[in-house]
Amino acid sequence: MTGNTFEEKMSSYMDAGFPILYINTFEETKALKSILNAASGRDVLEWNYADGLSLYKKGMAAEENKGDLSRMPIITVLEQLMTEGWYDLQGKILILRDIHYYFDQPEVTALLKNLVIKINNGMDTAIVLIAPVIKIPPELEKFITILEIEYLGFAEIRQVIENFIDAYELPKVNGKLLDELAMAFKGLTKFEIDNLLALAYSNDGELTRGDLKVIFEQKKQMIMKSGILEMVTVTETIEDIAVWIISKPGLKERLKLLKTSMLLKPLE
């Protein structure tokens, strides 16, 4: 049975021998921290194109950085990791960041599949992919489990805002405004929240109710860039909608009838 938190779920999958975990996120730093926390004392090996191969001993960042691999192509890195005696992956976690760029190369897919076979045959290793988009070769579909980092909760967002206020020594905001700001930031990453707080702060040197308009405008931009949803600004409140429903003759009864018919509709 997997746990409730993201780290507990990831740790459960690793312990159960799931060969490849795919974390779909823009928050690479948060993902890496979560992996190190879920590592349960295991060494973590991480590769990315910019920094090369890094070793985190027992889940802690080590000073040693494998600089001799810093510019090696991913194919060479995977080939080296497959070589016995070069670096033992037994009991370790292998992180590959932004490897989706290389999935068009059949050699990358083949080498990863070979690693999966070794894991299925008893090698105690978990492979974790981190990327902002989901791109999975058909050959690896059956071996991959997709995970997404949970959005910040209401209390966590409040804490981010309070930390920002303390860090920049801003005037304190009252509890009601703090709640309104936290609600406005729902669904955003910590990186996005920090950026919007900095933008609001740059306007007048403090956080006020007027900054809510700035936040909503920028949030609208983020949603538009995603291309998935459209954010529509409305002025009506729940009370307005309730009054409109009550004022429409027969509408209340028709809504009840529709609800009843949906409940009584037989399953097809």
Side-chain angles (χ1 to χ4, degrees):
M1 176 69 72
T2 57
N4 293 322
T5 69
F6 175 76
E7 292 175 7
E8 287 172 344
K9 289 177 183 177
M10 186 161 45
S11 181
S12 295
Y13 283 127
M14 290 177 180
D15 292 340
F18 281 57
I20 302 180
L21 305 180
Y22 196 133
I23 302 178
N24 175 218
T25 182
F26 283 92
E27 296 187 279
E28 294 182 353
T29 302
K30 183 177 180 180
L32 179 59
K33 182 179 178 181
S34 296
I35 296 168
L36 295 177
N37 289 337
S40 301
R42 287 180 280 191
D43 288 351
V44 177
L45 200 63
E46 184 218 1
W47 183 90
N48 67 77
Y49 183 78
D51 301 321
L53 203 60
S54 302
L55 177 64
Y56 298 87
K57 293 288 291 181
K58 305 299 181 186
M60 301 298 291
E63 295 181 1
E64 178 189 3
N65 186 287
K66 302 290 185 179
D68 57 323
L69 289 180
S70 61
R71 284 296 176 180
M72 272 191 178
I74 185 62
I75 294 175
T76 305
V77 171
L78 291 174
E79 286 175 342
Q80 294 279 31
L81 290 173
M82 292 286 291
T83 303
E84 291 187 15
W86 184 79
Y87 197 91
D88 186 10
L89 286 176
Q90 179 68 23
K92 298 178 179 63
I93 297 169
L94 173 63
I95 301 173
L96 301 173
R97 280 167 49 186
D98 291 330
I99 196 175
H100 64 287
Y101 290 123
Y102 306 95
F103 278 153
D104 292 332
Q105 303 178 39
E107 297 90 343
V108 172
T109 302
L111 288 165
L112 278 175
K113 191 173 180 180
N114 278 345
L115 276 176
V116 168
I117 292 172
K118 285 179 175 290
I119 293 172
N120 288 339
N121 287 337
M123 184 171 70
D124 181 18
T125 300
I127 303 169
V128 184
L129 313 181
I130 303 176
V133 297
I134 297 176
K135 183 178 179 182
I136 301 175
E139 298 86 348
L140 297 176
E141 282 182 359
K142 300 297 183 181
F143 307 118
I144 289 178
T145 301
I146 297 175
L147 298 174
E148 291 192 346
I149 295 180
E150 302 124 335
Y151 286 109
L152 295 176
F154 187 77
E156 291 175 307
I157 296 174
R158 278 182 56 110
Q159 190 61 56
V160 170
I161 299 170
E162 290 175 338
N163 290 344
F164 183 89
I165 291 172
D166 292 340
Y168 288 90
E169 299 180 347
L170 305 183
K172 297 292 184 181
V173 299
N174 61 55
K176 183 178 180 181
L177 177 56
L178 188 60
D179 286 346
E180 290 177 353
L181 289 168
M183 187 61 68
F185 285 133
K186 287 279 283 183
L188 300 183
T189 65
K190 182 179 182 302
F191 175 78
E192 291 168 328
I193 294 172
D194 284 335
N195 280 348
L196 290 184
L197 285 172
L199 178 63
Y201 165 64
S202 68
N203 287 337
D204 51 17
E206 59 181 340
L207 299 179
T208 65
R209 182 162 279 99
D211 293 322
L212 288 170
K213 183 177 180 181
V214 177
I215 293 168
F216 282 122
E217 281 298 318
Q218 291 301 312
K219 194 171 182 180
K220 183 178 179 180
Q221 285 284 327
M222 294 173 183
I223 292 173
M224 288 173 64
K225 283 190 290 185
S226 72
I228 299 174
L229 299 173
E230 180 180 357
M231 184 173 176
V232 179
T233 304
V234 295
T235 57
E236 291 80 3
T237 64
I238 292 296
E239 289 76 15
D240 295 331
I241 295 172
V243 170
W244 181 79
I245 290 175
I246 293 171
S247 67
K248 290 292 180 180
L251 180 58
K252 208 171 176 184
E253 287 69 25
R254 287 199 294 273
L255 288 173
K256 287 181 180 178
L257 181 61
L258 176 60
K259 182 179 179 182
T260 303
S261 65
M262 291 175 67
L263 290 173
L264 296 178
K265 184 178 179 182
L267 294 175
E268 297 178 354

